[in-house]
Amino acid sequence: MMTLSMVVSSLTASSLVTVDIPSPTPISKSDENFVCLGMDWWPSNKCNWGVCPWGDAGILNSDLSNEKLRTAVKRMNGAYLRLGGSLCDGIVYNVGNPPSCPDMTPKPPAQGTWFHGGCLSMDRWGEIVQFADDTDAKLVFAINANYNRTDGGTHWDESNARALIEHTVAMKYNVFAFEYGNELGYNASVFAAGLHQLHEVITTAYAKDPSLTVPKIIAPDEIHWDNEFFSELIPLVEGIVHAVTWHEYPLGEGYQNPSLNSKVMDPNQHNGWFNTASMSAKTTANVSSGKMQAWMGESGGCSNSGHNGTSNRFMDAFWYIDSLGGLAAAGQKVFCRQALIGGNYELIDHRNMEPNPDFYGALLFNSFMGSSVLNATSDNELVRAWAHCNKNSSDVSFLLMNFGNNSAEVKLPTSSKTTRDEYHMTATFINATEVMLNGNVMTYDSPISPVQGHANTNLVLANNSYAYVVTQLPGLCQ
C-alpha cells in the first residue's frame, strides 16, 4: 500500500490528472438532502483535556432566535436537523407529571466529561419545533431510551416518551422522525423490544389525529458498524424502522492525537471508513430486502468535541467534504454532521453565529449534488473525484479535491456544452478560519456564484483546494 509521502510525491506541479465516469449507470442513490445537521445536549461545562468548547450551544440553551443561525440553516434547503447525542437517553420531558425533572449535573463552574439529568420543558420543545419549521429543516429527535430502565436494563419505561409524543400530536407539531438509542450497547433483542414499544406509542398517539404525518423511526445509533449485531437486529424490526443508523469518528480523539492533521490530509485514511460504510449499506439493503436505509447517524471526524485549529478550519474539508462524497458513493442515504453548533467541530461558530469553513462546503454539496451518484474515477490518488447528477438539472456535478501541495491540471470527460460552471473553494492557508469561493471570502449570506470555464479545456485545481464543477455530459443524467 502506498504511504502518504509516496502519494504526495506522485503529484508534481501542474500534474495532468484524468477524471472519468466509465459507466452511465448510477452506483447508488442518496437522499435528496444528504446533509444532516446535528445538535447535542452538552452544557457549557462539558470539557475534555481542559478544553471546554460548548458554551451555550447545547439544545437546552442555544439561541434559536438568532437570525444568522436561522439564515444559515434555511440555506441548506430542507436538510435534516438531528437532535440527539450522548445525553439524550437520560433527558426527562416535563410533561405528563414525571416523578421528577432534574437539572443537569454537575453544574458550572464544575467541569465534567459526563452529565446526568436534564429537563426539557414543553416551551423549549415548542421552540425547537418552530425553529425546524421556520428553517425548513426535517426534525429528527432522539427519544430518552434509557428512561427508568428496569430488569437489569432490559425493559424501557416508555411513559415519559409517550407523554412527549402525545403532547406533540395535541400541538400538531411536525416531526420527521423519532430516533431510539445513542450508543447504548444493548443486544439486538433488547433494542428490538424497545423499538416495538416506541412504534406502539407513535402509532397509538398519531391515530388520534389522521391529519398529521406519522413520524418515522430511526435507530439504533450504535458506535461503529458491527455487521453481526445489525444483521441480527434488522429482521427483528423490519416494517417499523425506516433507517438504520451508526456512528463513527474515524480520525480518533480530538486531542492527544499527534497524527490528527496527517490523517485529515491522507485520502487513503478515509478509504477505510468508506469501505465500512459500503458494507453497512449493503448489509442493510440485503437483510431488509431493500426496505430500510443506512444512515451515518453521527460523525464529527474526531471525537470528544473535535480539535480547535483543525475541526473548525479549512483543513477539515479534506475529511468532511471528501466524506460527503465518499459516503454517498458507498450507499449511505444521509450523513449527520456533529455538530451544527457546539464543540470544536461545529459548522456554525456558536460565539458569533458565523459559519466555519465546512459549512460552505456542505452548502454547495447540498446545492449541486443530487441523489443519483455516479462512478467517478481519478488516475491520481491525491486528486479525489466524486460525481452526482445535478440536483436541479440534467447536468453532472463533480466534486474534485486536491489533497496535494501542488496544483493539478484536471482533464474532465468531453462535454456537450461550450462552458461549465466552476466553484473553487480555497483558503489563504490550510488552517484558515475563512474560505473563499472563486477568490471571494464567504459569509453566512454570501451568494453562490460560479465562474464560467471552457467546458473542454483542462481545469486547474489549486493545491490544497477543492471545487464543484457543473457541466453537461452526453448520455449521463439525461
Side-chain angles (χ1 to χ4, degrees):
M1 179 180 292
M2 296 183 74
T3 65
L4 178 61
S5 61
M6 295 166 63
V7 175
V8 170
S9 67
S10 71
L11 186 61
T12 57
S14 297
S15 292
L16 180 62
V17 178
T18 299
V19 168
D20 195 14
I21 300 177
S23 170
T25 305
I27 57 173
S28 67
K29 195 91 169 173
S30 68
D31 194 284
E32 281 291 342
N33 293 291
F34 186 67
V35 174
C36 169
L37 311 169
M39 293 184 68
D40 211 310
W41 297 91
W42 294 118
S44 61
N45 52 328
K46 154 71 169 170
C47 307
N48 294 91
W49 302 288
V51 179
C52 310
W54 282 86
D56 287 331
I59 292 167
L60 292 175
N61 302 310
S62 52
D63 181 7
L64 300 180
S65 66
N66 184 278
E67 284 304 318
K68 283 186 178 180
L69 178 64
R70 285 171 165 257
T71 298
V73 175
K74 191 160 188 173
R75 293 191 75 185
M76 282 294 183
N77 196 27
Y80 291 97
L81 178 65
R82 179 238 178 192
L83 274 64
S86 299
L87 303 182
C88 71
D89 295 306
I91 299 296
V92 178
Y93 315 130
N94 197 7
V95 60
N97 297 315
S100 64
C101 200
D103 291 335
M104 200 172 285
T105 57
K107 296 181 179 182
Q111 296 183 3
T113 58
W114 190 259
F115 297 81
H116 299 278
C119 183
L120 177 65
S121 72
M122 291 304 94
D123 285 346
R124 183 58 172 174
W125 175 231
E127 291 171 0
I128 290 166
V129 174
Q130 192 64 53
F131 175 78
D133 284 348
D134 291 346
T135 57
D136 301 325
K138 297 183 179 74
L139 180 61
V140 177
F141 185 78
I143 215 76
N144 54 0
N146 252 356
Y147 181 76
N148 199 23
R149 284 233 168 223
T150 58
D151 298 330
T154 61
H155 178 75
W156 171 51
D157 179 354
E158 80 279 6
S159 61
N160 195 228
R162 187 184 298 275
L164 176 73
I165 292 170
E166 289 177 346
H167 175 80
T168 299
V169 171
M171 298 299 293
K172 295 185 178 294
Y173 288 158
N174 182 31
V175 177
F176 175 81
F178 286 105
E179 188 177 85
Y180 181 87
N182 188 90
E183 303 177 11
L184 291 177
Y186 296 128
N187 64 41
S189 61
V190 171
F191 260 119
L195 284 163
H196 281 275
Q197 286 177 266
L198 179 58
H199 180 255
E200 182 277 325
V201 169
I202 292 173
T203 301
T204 301
Y206 278 82
K208 298 174 182 176
D209 191 343
S211 70
L212 298 176
T213 300
V214 178
K216 301 181 186 302
I217 295 177
I218 294 171
D221 280 88
E222 279 298 272
I223 187 70
H224 312 308
W225 180 265
D226 181 332
N227 214 50
E228 182 178 352
F229 165 79
F230 282 97
S231 296
E232 183 181 354
L233 175 67
I234 290 170
L236 299 177
V237 295
E238 191 171 314
I240 68 170
V241 169
H242 170 69
V244 172
T245 48
W246 58 295
H247 298 178
E248 192 65 73
Y249 285 82
L251 302 177
E253 297 279 1
Y255 286 83
Q256 298 183 355
N257 184 356
S259 61
L260 174 59
N261 287 359
S262 63
K263 288 178 181 178
V264 170
M265 297 305 298
D266 181 357
N268 287 321
Q269 168 74 28
H270 311 325
N271 292 338
W273 93 299
F274 297 167
N275 292 336
T276 303
S278 178
M279 178 172 63
S280 158
K282 289 175 181 177
T283 297
T284 302
N286 291 338
V287 177
S288 73
S289 300
K291 296 174 184 176
M292 294 186 203
Q293 303 178 359
W295 287 22
M296 169 43 56
E298 179 187 307
S299 185
C302 47
S303 60
N304 285 323
S305 303
H307 185 90
N308 184 32
T310 300
S311 305
N312 49 9
R313 304 298 170 88
F314 180 73
M315 171 187 280
D316 200 60
F318 294 90
W319 165 75
Y320 176 49
I321 307 304
D322 189 45
S323 293
L324 287 174
L327 266 65
Q332 299 294 304
K333 295 294 184 183
V334 173
F335 180 176
C336 293
R337 165 65 184 252
Q338 179 81 340
L340 171 62
I341 52 174
N344 290 312
Y345 41 35
E346 61 189 356
L347 293 174
I348 309 290
D349 189 328
H350 68 273
R351 297 167 300 180
N352 55 20
M353 295 300 179
E354 288 288 344
N356 284 322
D358 275 352
F359 172 84
Y360 299 108
L363 176 63
L364 268 64
F365 191 100
N366 219 37
S367 299
F368 303 132
M369 309 298 268
S371 60
S372 292
V373 185
L374 303 169
N375 182 25
T377 63
S378 167
D379 65 0
N380 191 300
E381 289 187 71
L382 263 192
V383 175
R384 187 90 83 176
W386 308 107
H388 292 215
C389 291
N390 186 268
K391 201 165 189 176
N392 302 303
S393 72
S394 59
D395 292 337
V396 174
S397 297
F398 286 95
L399 167 59
L400 307 173
M401 307 204 64
N402 184 359
F403 285 78
N405 294 324
N406 298 300
S407 63
E409 195 174 339
V410 180
K411 178 178 173 57
L412 294 171
T414 301
S415 174
S416 53
K417 285 186 175 180
T418 58
T419 62
R420 66 187 174 219
D421 290 340
E422 301 177 9
Y423 304 82
H424 293 264
M425 304 293 279
T426 59
T428 53
F429 58 101
I430 196 69
N431 289 106
T433 59
E434 295 179 328
V435 61
M436 293 179 285
L437 170 59
N438 296 326
N440 298 309
V441 173
M442 297 198 76
T443 62
Y444 77 99
D445 58 353
S446 293
I448 301 175
S449 302
V451 293
Q452 286 207 320
H454 296 287
N456 292 309
T457 59
N458 294 341
L459 177 145
V460 177
L461 194 60
N463 64 299
N464 298 145
S465 77
Y466 64 100
Y468 291 90
V469 182
V470 179
T471 188
Q472 190 167 94
L473 301 181
L476 290 173
C477 305
Q478 304 300 309

